[in-house]
Amino acid sequence: SAVTINYGWTGRYFNNNTAPTRGHGVAVELGLGTTLRPERDPFVRTLVRWQNFIPAGRVEDDAGVRRTARLSLRAEGGAVLAREGAQIPVTQLFLTGGDTTVRGYSYRSIGARTDNGQLYGGRYLAVGSVEWQRPIVWRGAMTDWESTLFVDAGAVADRVGELSPRVGVGAGV
């Protein structure tokens, strides 16, 4: 168990908040806390997220309707800083994996591992993604659908030097 005080800030600088084609966003979270049992150990938890959209050409249908294709870049990093033996609650540690982080892996299936291979949350997180998003023209008409090609990578560990990325590569509609 622990007691924490947290602050979060988000800046969105996109050309359109619901369907951006250019711009960037950044989010920062900072938490200060102390464990309560078995002893009191102070800790700091921080998480930074960044998303960027870069225009990557235009797609035009037969009627002259145009939409922008784009490159999406995403990065996320986090750390829990505390004494090595501090028993940080699992809710304060990091897990990743799933359709909004590292696609191709189950939700929250990437984490630190015990000596016998059991998954648990780690103190350090690193995630990155590159994605090409392109509007789909079907039978000469612009659709609401898009195609995408992506590469995601992410890792969680208790020590920075132990971060070993898992990679997801794919395509989607």
Side-chain angles (χ1 to χ4, degrees), residues 19-36:
T21 58
R22 68 178 174 279
H24 66 278
V26 65
V28 178
E29 297 175 17
L30 178 64
L32 304 173
T34 185
T35 61
L36 300 176

Side-chain angles (χ1 to χ4, degrees), residues 87-112:
Q87 293 185 13
I88 307 297
V90 69
T91 57
Q92 298 297 309
L93 299 175
F94 298 105
L95 290 168
T96 194
D99 64 353
T100 61
T101 60
V102 183
R103 291 166 279 195
Y105 291 86
S106 298
Y107 177 67
R108 296 173 53 99
S109 66
I110 300 171

Side-chain angles (χ1 to χ4, degrees), residues 25-142:
V26 65
V28 178
E29 297 175 17
L30 178 64
L32 304 173
T34 185
T35 61
L36 300 176
R37 286 184 268 163
E39 57 189 80
R40 294 183 183 209
D41 283 308
F43 65 91
V44 175
R45 183 182 192 275
T46 185
L47 180 66
V48 177
R49 293 183 183 115
W50 173 78
Q51 174 88 44
N52 192 39
F53 291 98
I54 302 167
R58 293 226 179 230
V59 176
E60 186 173 336
D61 69 8
D62 293 348
V65 175
R66 292 195 283 170
R67 286 187 28 216
T68 302
R70 62 203 164 280
L71 193 62
S72 171
L73 307 173
R74 180 175 45 89
E76 184 175 356
V80 175
L81 306 174
R83 178 179 68 83
E84 187 172 335
Q87 293 185 13
I88 307 297
V90 69
T91 57
Q92 298 297 309
L93 299 175
F94 298 105
L95 290 168
T96 194
D99 64 353
T100 61
T101 60
V102 183
R103 291 166 279 195
Y105 291 86
S106 298
Y107 177 67
R108 296 173 53 99
S109 66
I110 300 171
R113 299 255 175 203
T114 62
D115 290 338
N116 65 0
Q118 185 176 353
L119 177 72
Y120 70 95
R123 292 185 181 205
Y124 296 94
L125 166 77
V127 176
S129 178
V130 176
E131 181 175 328
W132 181 49
Q133 303 166 349
R134 187 176 190 280
I136 295 175
V137 174
W138 177 258
R139 296 185 178 174
M142 187 69 65

